[in-house]
Amino acid sequence: QVTLRESGPALVKPTQTLTLTCTFSGFSLSTSGMCVSWIRQPPGKALEWLALIDWDDDKYYSTSLKTRLTISKDTSKNQVVLTMTNMDPVDTATYYCARSDWLSKLAFDIWGQGTMVTVSS
Amino acid sequence: QSVLTQPPSASGTPGQRVTISCSGSSSNIGSNYVYWYQQLPGTAPKLLIYRNNQRPSGVPDRFSGSKSGTSASLAISGLRSEDEADYYCAAWDDSLSGLWVFGGGTKLTVL
């Protein structure tokens, strides 16, 4: 059974750096085709893709947020970490991690439950 | 503003067939697969359709997807009250606007 779970602070102050961890089980990020993405959703608004890391450690970022994002993986711990710098109240959102299996062309087939992050002083 | 355009709302009565559209461009829908997600209130999105028209195991065949040119559609037949949710389309985008793009979402109301 594939599961993902996001963890991180519920509240961050403006200008601070946010660090989120996605801990997963049921698959390995060293397996060809496997990817993990971060996707966020502000309250009442649409989904927004943020970043992706694949089995080959290739990293891809949303063009609009590229300068603020860093994604990394620890294959031995089955974790993917996202950092976002210079947080602003508009970054208040639920942050999800989701798996993709690119060999099967399955995009975001399994999602974590999400973690709500509020940016406020 | 989302790269993929969806109607903000749709509605239908139980048993009806409803369709939700998703409009993009040659750099996303026009040249890549389309995916659909269902988000029930207060829950994470769930993959509904992949590779334009494929259903993951466990998704009822009442849900179907199609694609033509730079547009795609999700059809729900035999509408049920539990189908009331937000629906999002997504596609890979080959341009500089980002690798993955989502639609703005469509809120489906079952009357």
Side-chain angles (χ1 to χ4, degrees):
Chain A
Q1 182 189 5
V2 174
T3 64
L4 302 96
R5 186 182 76 251
E6 306 86 352
S7 59
L11 179 67
V12 296
K13 291 180 167 48
T15 76
Q16 286 186 335
T17 294
L18 172 69
T19 299
L20 296 173
T21 301
C22 176
T23 303
F24 57 87
S25 64
F27 71 99
S28 173
L29 203 38
S30 60
T31 300
S32 289
M34 291 298 165
C35 312
V36 171
S37 285
W38 284 94
I39 296 155
R40 72 178 179 179
Q41 185 174 37
K45 296 188 177 181
L47 301 168
E48 178 185 18
W49 176 80
L50 301 177
L52 176 153
I53 189 164
D54 70 15
W55 74 99
D56 209 21
D57 207 33
D58 290 321
K59 302 160 188 176
Y60 306 88
Y61 298 99
S62 165
T63 302
S64 60
L65 293 168
K66 185 174 185 175
T67 60
R68 300 173 54 205
L69 297 173
T70 303
I71 193 169
S72 62
K73 66 182 173 80
D74 185 330
T75 305
S76 64
K77 292 183 178 179
N78 281 350
Q79 290 182 334
V80 170
V81 174
L82 180 77
T83 62
M84 180 180 290
T85 61
N86 195 25
M87 293 293 286
D88 183 272
V90 300
D91 297 313
T92 294
T94 296
Y95 287 76
Y96 297 98
C97 60
R99 184 192 80 158
S100 296
D101 177 357
W102 205 231
L103 290 184
S104 302
K105 295 296 187 280
L106 281 164
F108 317 131
D109 63 330
I110 307 293
W111 296 62
Q113 63 185 17
T115 186
M116 178 66 192
V117 178
T118 300
V119 184
S120 174
S121 55
Chain B
Q1 188 172 353
S2 302
V3 174
L4 304 181
T5 301
Q6 296 180 238
S9 63
S11 63
T13 56
Q16 266 191 332
R17 181 178 187 270
V18 298
T19 61
I20 297 171
S21 62
C22 176
S23 177
S25 66
S26 58
S27 65
N28 43 65
I29 293 179
S31 52
N32 295 293
Y33 290 123
V34 177
Y35 298 78
W36 289 92
Y37 302 87
Q38 177 192 59
Q39 187 175 32
L40 297 170
T43 69
K46 167 191 168 185
L47 178 63
L48 208 58
I49 297 288
Y50 67 102
R51 280 197 274 180
N52 300 333
N53 54 20
Q54 303 298 302
R55 285 184 308 276
S57 61
V59 174
D61 59 6
R62 301 186 297 106
F63 295 90
S64 62
S66 64
K67 175 183 133 174
S68 178
T70 59
S71 293
S73 291
L74 172 71
I76 308 171
S77 59
L79 198 61
R80 304 174 68 161
S81 58
E82 56 260 40
D83 298 332
E84 187 159 293
D86 293 325
Y87 293 85
Y88 293 91
C89 58
W92 182 278
D93 193 306
D94 296 324
S95 74
L96 293 177
S97 60
L99 288 180
W100 280 102
V101 290
F102 282 93
T106 298
K107 181 172 180 56
L108 174 64
T109 301
V110 181
L111 302 170

